[in-house]
Amino acid sequence: MERIICLAIGYLFGLFQTAYIYGRMHGIDIRQHGSGNAGTTNTLRVLGTKAGLIVFAGDVLKCVCAIVTCSLIFGKTHPDMVYLFKMYAAAGAILGHNFPFYLGFKGGKGIAATAGLILSFHPAFLPVGVVLFFGAFLLTHYVSLGSLLVYAGFIIEIIVLGQMGLFGGMSQEALAEMYLIAGFLTVMAYYKHRENIKRLLKGEERKTYLIKKNKEE
């Protein structure tokens, strides 16, 4: 039951579609512009850097709020399972972001929400996530490449650190369950980025900048 509750709480937080709401406040449906994705990168390209940063912050925050809420609810009664419940909350938030029922299940790709997962899951994950994303982005200006590397690093890191005992008294069964959820999120992220992967392989992926250059390409 706790798992379902955490997943539901996460999904409810994930339904706060920052890009869609911000776009509507400025008279557009972001899903009908640019790439059609209701996320940070498309907002940045269509509405500018300020808009992109606001959307990014909102999408990060909703996953953080979902994780913190579930930790507060179940952390004291199930201390040995708190990381598993955090993972369910994050999965719910990412699913809510990617597949909001009130928008015909057409949302974003879940990367900013995943940043919220990395930020609030455990401090050990933050340095690797930052280095992988910004290293790739600053060198290539491909947001998609940085995002894919973050997920690859995350799934490897969670398994390695989990087996090293980072998550305290979790049983091996609970750890395996957590790995499966992380694996599911990774597969979903790569699936949502399938067109980006094709363009990356062909050298046709669009670059993204944090300045007006986005609108000139």
Side-chain angles (χ1 to χ4, degrees):
M1 180 59 71
E2 291 86 356
R3 294 167 173 80
I4 295 174
I5 292 173
C6 290
L7 195 64
I9 289 173
Y11 187 81
L12 289 174
F13 274 107
L15 291 177
F16 186 85
Q17 287 292 316
T18 319
Y20 177 79
I21 293 169
Y22 189 93
R24 283 302 191 188
M25 290 172 61
H26 290 78
I28 68 169
D29 182 344
I30 193 67
R31 300 171 304 157
Q32 296 176 2
H33 297 266
S35 67
N37 184 61
T40 298
T41 303
N42 194 39
T43 303
L44 188 150
R45 290 171 177 168
V46 174
L47 295 174
T49 301
K50 178 182 176 182
L53 292 175
I54 290 172
V55 168
F56 176 77
D59 288 346
V60 168
L61 186 59
K62 65 190 181 187
C63 191
V64 171
C65 288
I67 289 173
V68 170
T69 299
C70 291
S71 296
L72 290 174
I73 294 173
F74 297 115
K76 290 185 178 180
T77 56
H78 300 80
D80 58 325
M81 299 286 280
V82 68
Y83 286 104
L84 179 61
F85 294 154
K86 284 184 177 183
M87 187 64 73
Y88 271 102
I94 294 168
L95 287 169
H97 174 80
N98 290 357
F99 308 105
F101 72 89
Y102 66 97
L103 294 178
F105 300 98
K106 184 180 180 182
K109 296 180 180 178
I111 299 304
T114 300
L117 162 60
I118 292 172
L119 181 65
S120 54
F121 190 72
H122 192 285
F125 290 85
L126 188 58
V128 174
V130 169
V131 170
L132 287 175
F133 179 81
F134 284 102
F137 176 69
L138 293 175
L139 287 173
T140 67
H141 292 285
Y142 292 142
V143 173
S144 56
L145 179 60
S147 302
L148 294 169
L149 287 175
V150 166
Y151 256 110
F154 177 69
I155 186 65
I156 293 171
E157 196 173 12
I158 197 170
I159 293 173
V160 171
L161 294 180
Q163 294 307 117
M164 290 175 63
L166 181 69
F167 306 117
M170 285 183 68
S171 67
Q172 191 60 47
E173 291 77 10
L175 284 170
E177 187 176 349
M178 188 170 67
Y179 302 157
L180 285 174
I181 299 169
F184 166 76
L185 294 177
T186 302
V187 171
M188 181 170 64
Y190 274 72
Y191 177 77
K192 296 285 283 186
H193 283 81
R194 61 193 183 281
E195 295 302 323
N196 302 87
I197 294 172
K198 291 178 183 178
R199 290 192 295 269
L200 283 168
L201 292 174
K202 294 178 181 179
E204 300 173 353
E205 178 71 325
R206 181 178 176 179
K207 294 185 177 183
T208 300
Y209 302 87
L210 295 178
I211 54 176
K212 63 182 181 179
K213 202 169 182 179
N214 288 299
K215 297 183 178 181
E216 296 173 354
E217 290 192 340

